[in-house]
Amino acid sequence: EAGVTQFPSHSVIEKGQTVTLRCDPISGHDNLYWYRRVMGKEIKFLLHFVKESKQDESGMPNNRFLAERTGGTYSTLKVQPAELEDSGVYFCASSQDLAGRRGYTFGSGTRLTVV
Amino acid sequence: KNQVEQSPQSLIILEGKNCTLQCNYTVSPFSNLRWYKQDTGRGPVSLTIMTFSENTKSNGRYTATLDADTKQSSLHITASQLSDSASYICVVSADSNYQLIWGAGTKLIIKP
């Protein structure tokens, strides 16, 4: 079974530019999550999709971040325009059930550096 | 405020030795507590998950304990190996919205 795949693995962009991160969850996992780890801090929740719907987006920092999951398969997270404080590692995870009782599978993350 | 605190921040031990990592949480209402291992450049990988009624869970050389009364958990690693070098993160799920509340992790280094 393929795991959760994230692309790109690294991205370096200038302040003010746009970046789009992609996550391909495990096939059949309705639940998809985005998390972010800023340097030196703990991982923080961004948002949760159930299929194509946003179940919880309370962790999204501001309106420069836009997440989509058209068709309920892969998801994208766009940052526009990027700011220096957006630098960090963005993780995607998927799970079969809403509460994650059968576990979450994480991707390797996208390391975003805004310069 | 829902929080998860871990100690120590970092730990260096010799190969073959045992170690114990600590986690205190103030998440309510509590659903479950997980320990993850995260290798550098990789995503977190689940080691154990415990609900309110469980107070110990083992996964090979890893044994997690949970005291729901004092809101404390520990992860004990037995006979450490070089491959155990990683960050170990305690994560608590709130029953209200299933969000995961993450600790900052303990960076463990195993030296030969």
Side-chain angles (χ1 to χ4, degrees):
Chain A
E1 173 184 77
V4 175
T5 305
Q6 291 188 245
F7 182 83
S9 56
H10 294 80
S11 180
V12 180
I13 62 170
E14 292 184 351
K15 177 182 169 181
Q17 288 187 321
T18 297
V19 63
T20 300
L21 314 181
R22 173 170 169 146
C23 169
D24 286 72
I26 290 176
S27 178
H29 280 194
D30 287 341
N31 297 276
L32 186 150
Y33 310 81
W34 284 98
Y35 293 89
R36 175 173 75 167
R37 184 171 203 162
V38 173
M39 178 75 79
K41 300 283 187 80
E42 65 274 15
I43 295 172
K44 288 265 176 80
F45 168 82
L46 295 178
L47 89 160
H48 170 202
F49 283 101
V50 178
K51 296 185 180 177
E52 67 274 10
S53 300
K54 291 175 185 173
Q55 174 79 9
D56 181 354
E57 52 183 330
S58 61
M60 293 288 264
N62 52 61
N63 59 11
R64 294 185 295 102
F65 289 75
L66 174 65
E68 294 180 322
R69 194 184 181 194
T70 307
T73 54
Y74 70 91
S75 174
T76 58
L77 179 64
K78 182 160 72 173
V79 185
Q80 178 183 32
E83 298 289 343
L84 298 179
E85 65 264 24
D86 300 333
S87 296
V89 182
Y90 290 76
F91 291 103
C92 174
S94 71
S95 69
Q96 282 183 302
D97 62 294
L98 186 66
R101 293 198 171 92
R102 296 181 204 171
Y104 299 92
T105 302
F106 286 81
S108 294
T110 293
R111 180 174 293 277
L112 175 64
T113 303
V114 183
V115 297
Chain B
K1 183 182 174 184
N2 287 335
Q3 275 188 312
V4 176
E5 295 186 351
Q6 292 187 242
S7 63
Q9 270 190 321
S10 61
L11 182 62
I12 302 173
I13 63 172
L14 291 175
E15 185 181 10
K17 298 295 186 184
N18 304 335
C19 65
T20 301
L21 315 181
Q22 302 291 343
C23 172
N24 296 337
Y25 62 91
T26 57
V27 178
S28 180
F30 174 86
S31 177
N32 56 67
L33 184 146
R34 305 163 195 257
W35 282 94
Y36 282 93
K37 178 186 179 188
Q38 185 174 16
D39 293 305
T40 302
R42 310 291 293 179
V45 173
S46 181
L47 294 175
T48 62
I49 174 172
M50 288 182 291
T51 58
F52 184 88
S53 58
E54 297 172 294
N55 50 26
T56 187
K57 182 86 60 96
S58 290
N59 177 1
R61 294 180 295 103
Y62 301 102
T63 299
T65 66
L66 173 64
D67 186 333
D69 291 331
T70 61
K71 299 187 177 181
Q72 295 180 325
S73 176
S74 66
L75 179 70
H76 186 76
I77 304 175
T78 304
S80 60
Q81 299 176 0
L82 297 179
S83 58
D84 293 334
S85 294
S87 285
Y88 291 84
I89 310 175
C90 175
V91 186
V92 181
S93 179
D95 212 10
S96 53
N97 58 12
Y98 309 121
Q99 276 193 25
L100 300 182
I101 315 298
W102 297 74
T106 292
K107 186 174 175 64
L108 177 65
I109 298 172
I110 311 297
K111 292 206 163 183

